[in-house]
Amino acid sequence: MENSNDLFKNNPENSMNLTLEQKKNKQLAEHLFPEELPNIESVFERYPKRELPKDAMVTRIAPSPTGFMHIGGIYMALISERFARQTNGVYYLRIEDTDKKREIEGARKIITESLHKFGLDPDEGENINGVERGIYGPYKQSERKGIYKSFIKHLIEIGRAYPCFCNEEELEVMRKMQEELKVRPGYYGVWAKYRDANEKKVEEMLKQNKPYAVRFKSLGNNTNTFIHNDIIKGPLELPENDLDVVIMKSGGLPTYHLAHAVDDYFMGTTHVLRGDEWVSSIPLHYELFKALDFKCPEYGHIAPINKIDESGGKRKLSKRKDPEANVSFYEENGYPEIAVVEYLMNLANSDFEDWRKSNPDKPLTEFQLSFKRLSTSAGPLFDKIKLHDITKEIIAKMRAEELYKKVLDWSLKYDPEFREILEKDSEYWIKVFSIERGGSKPRKDIAMWSEVKEAFSFFIKEKFIRPDWSNFTSILSPDEIKNIINQYNEVFSFDDLTEKWMEKIKQISAIFGFAPDTKTFKKNRDSYRGHVGEIAQIIRFAITGRIQTPDLYQIMQVLGEPECKKRLALK
Ligand code: GLU
């Protein structure tokens, strides 16, 4: 630190109108920030007010590049994106990378790619190609250090911030004392050691090059309360802030609080939608905005996605314990992103489900998300069954070609062997996926791409193994079953249309004493051993090795004559 000797000397250049106190603050600020910084007027000029329609919302997501993308982050991005787009506003991405200890290489890419996959590319900020768009940048906090410092310096100049030389150990001792005395923890009031530190002492510490953080000087009184109108949680009565929180860490980087105020103000955020762990920081943020003379944005605090855990209790979806917390889980398992987004919309606004029922074919962007319907405190519950209902519904509506393409894409990374099989005969597989697809009641049995291979495995001709009949329960003896398959094989003709195909199975049923349909069977139970369904089941099992499949006639048509004959031929 240079010039510390002169630190508190009166400088004749200073304006005559300044009080002694003001002069000292100014000198301290100059001393702590000798480098050239953007002057604050130029910052105001650099970030003009956004010209947008009156009710347009400017929202953002502000993840830290920690290498982990939580599904809750996508949930919040979706909510932020929807409100901005619904109001013809702007939704942008800001990378909050001031905590260098937590930063992971490649983490920004994980963020931008995840947003892209879920259709949530921002209007401004870094995009999937690593390129920044927008005039309110840089959108990476580590590139905004100068701007933060200008405002930290300004707060020192106006007497609303000061250096604090407490090290970790001292703060720990203080915390323990507070615990023993059973008083509120934190750096406030009498506990704020450097708040009114003697100038000589400060000078001394600076001379010794002692590391320091810069703290905000709060003027609040913790026994007073005020009402914060949260756009999601409604009115909340909160105590005023009285904590002198750190706004600049000893390395020169700002803390979240300061960066949030500066960035959201200059980037023109109208609505800060963020996790509800930040509610307790509201009093501080109000005070900080006021001290900086910035207009406060609206705040909406979003309750986290919860789950019922093993013990039956409710808890937040946890990064460590729950695989479904990580966005990569959805990719690995092959959930169509659009279906996950639909599911998240359900979690956000419960009336989305009714809207979807009345508007089955509309894009979800036509649904109007509302703040009132967002969970206030409890937080929505993650429910895999519901997620699967939605993904099945969406996959059922896809055309066979689309499904083929999606499974092909997914299998490239997650099941190369299946991809090879699919690629070998695209026409065949599209026919496979066409079974019971289209029409008003498509089959809804696939929830994710990783289920496709197993669901359709009996179509993989080279891998088909003869079914194990010991798994088949029937009132018919093994000899009778063999006999049925033999007789069917003789009459089976690939060119038969459905009716004829069915007729032949009925004929065999009659030979073995089974009714031609369930109705006849129910009327005359004593005259029959069972009904045609049981005979068809035998053929189904011979052809597919399963007792439950989509339409058997269609399956046989897709498999083709030689394959059907082969499967019906007994060794
Ligand atoms: N970086 C903060 C976080 O990840 C952002 C909070 C906010 O949206 O303001 O929690």
Side-chain angles (χ1 to χ4, degrees), residues 60 62-64 94 96 256 260 264 272-275 277-278:
R60 84 299 188 274
S64 299
R94 181 171 68 232
E96 303 216 323
Y256 167 74
H260 150 56
D264 281 310
V272 169
L273 307 176
R274 61 183 178 185
E277 68 274 22
W278 294 111

Side-chain angles (χ1 to χ4, degrees), residues 31 83 88 140:
H31 178 81
F83 282 114
N88 296 315
K140 221 178 285 131

Side-chain angles (χ1 to χ4, degrees), residues 60-159:
R60 84 299 188 274
I61 49 157
S64 299
T66 58
F68 184 91
M69 191 75 195
H70 197 291
I71 191 68
I74 297 295
Y75 174 65
M76 281 198 271
L78 173 67
I79 293 170
S80 303
E81 185 260 6
R82 283 292 81 226
F83 282 114
R85 300 256 155 88
Q86 263 172 220
T87 56
N88 296 315
V90 176
Y91 144 76
Y92 71 88
L93 166 65
R94 181 171 68 232
I95 302 286
E96 303 216 323
D97 58 347
T98 57
D99 191 351
K100 288 292 167 195
K101 276 186 258 134
R102 291 173 65 214
E103 189 166 347
I104 298 265
E105 173 102 19
R108 290 204 325 269
K109 201 148 183 59
I110 296 180
I111 296 170
T112 53
E113 278 179 356
S114 305
L115 293 174
H116 179 73
K117 275 193 205 120
F118 290 101
L120 298 169
D121 284 316
D123 301 319
E124 294 174 13
E126 185 167 333
N127 70 11
I128 181 153
N129 302 317
V131 179
E132 263 196 14
R133 284 181 305 179
I135 60 160
Y136 293 86
Y139 294 85
K140 221 178 285 131
Q141 288 186 329
S142 57
E143 291 174 12
R144 301 171 64 80
K145 279 187 235 162
I147 303 176
Y148 304 131
K149 282 190 175 170
S150 297
F151 285 91
I152 294 165
K153 183 176 178 185
H154 169 71
L155 286 173
I156 297 175
E157 280 172 354
I158 62 168

